[in-house]
Amino acid sequence: MSLSTQIMDAMKIAMKAKDQQALQALRSVKSAILIAQTESGAKQELTDDEEIKLLQKLVKQRKDSAVLYSEQGRKDLSEPELAEAAVIEKFLPAQLSEQEVEKLVEEAIAQTGASSMGDMGKVMGIVSGKAAGRADGKTISTIVKQKLSN
């Protein structure tokens, strides 16, 4: 089942349950999908990778907004952002644990023979490819920096 179909089904459920928070999040996902489809020219379906990247981008936007609101003492604005992020995350593949990401980083370091921070780009590229939407770039970056600085 395509992401668009899953989103539409979830929207129907949210409408019936009168869940305004979920409905708002799902509408924003649907809008982002439509915009991405029209940007690519013809009305073609997005690939699974493009859909995952789009969802990750939307979740990251919500979380970044929530952090900014929290820093300014605006819980009334940060809580809805986090709730929307949680709704959108349901459509993402299961995320890797830190230990699993660490293992991927160690494998990539061994594979490339990386020994300094100058090799970080090579390692990041390999790990990001293997993780393919199942790990946050920030998490990967932090672990790579940690391993290469030791």
Side-chain angles (χ1 to χ4, degrees), residues 24-78:
Q24 184 175 346
L26 294 167
R27 283 183 175 148
S28 69
V29 172
K30 183 181 177 202
S31 171
I33 290 171
L34 289 173
I35 289 169
Q37 286 175 339
T38 55
E39 278 178 358
S40 62
K43 280 259 184 185
Q44 61 186 16
E45 288 291 315
L46 297 175
T47 65
D48 288 343
D49 288 340
E50 290 171 332
E51 289 174 343
I52 289 171
K53 285 179 185 170
L54 181 70
L55 291 175
Q56 286 176 325
K57 177 181 167 190
L58 293 173
V59 168
K60 186 176 185 317
Q61 285 176 345
R62 302 290 182 298
K63 287 184 177 180
D64 289 348
S65 295
V67 167
L68 288 173
Y69 292 141
S70 294
E71 287 173 356
Q72 296 173 358
R74 298 293 310 264
K75 274 197 173 284
D76 59 318
L77 295 174
S78 69

Side-chain angles (χ1 to χ4, degrees), residues 2-14:
S2 74
L3 179 64
S4 298
T5 310
Q6 290 177 8
I7 296 294
M8 288 303 295
D9 291 345
M11 281 178 68
K12 290 175 190 171
I13 293 168

Side-chain angles (χ1 to χ4, degrees), residues 72-91:
Q72 296 173 358
R74 298 293 310 264
K75 274 197 173 284
D76 59 318
L77 295 174
S78 69
E79 288 172 359
E81 292 289 336
L82 290 173
E84 284 184 28
V87 169
I88 297 169
E89 282 178 331
K90 291 177 187 173
F91 296 96

Side-chain angles (χ1 to χ4, degrees), residues 44-149:
Q44 61 186 16
E45 288 291 315
L46 297 175
T47 65
D48 288 343
D49 288 340
E50 290 171 332
E51 289 174 343
I52 289 171
K53 285 179 185 170
L54 181 70
L55 291 175
Q56 286 176 325
K57 177 181 167 190
L58 293 173
V59 168
K60 186 176 185 317
Q61 285 176 345
R62 302 290 182 298
K63 287 184 177 180
D64 289 348
S65 295
V67 167
L68 288 173
Y69 292 141
S70 294
E71 287 173 356
Q72 296 173 358
R74 298 293 310 264
K75 274 197 173 284
D76 59 318
L77 295 174
S78 69
E79 288 172 359
E81 292 289 336
L82 290 173
E84 284 184 28
V87 169
I88 297 169
E89 282 178 331
K90 291 177 187 173
F91 296 96
L92 285 170
Q95 297 292 299
L96 295 173
S97 69
E98 269 196 45
Q99 291 79 20
E100 292 170 318
V101 174
E102 225 172 282
K103 185 178 176 199
L104 287 175
V105 168
E106 288 169 359
E107 289 172 5
I109 289 172
Q111 182 181 342
T112 59
S115 59
S116 68
M117 290 301 285
D119 300 321
M120 185 173 170
K122 294 177 195 170
V123 176
M124 285 289 297
I126 292 171
V127 175
S128 296
K130 286 181 181 176
R134 298 178 297 145
D136 181 29
K138 193 174 186 179
T139 306
I140 296 171
S141 172
T142 303
I143 293 172
V144 169
K145 284 178 187 173
Q146 187 180 33
K147 295 289 182 185
L148 289 178
S149 64

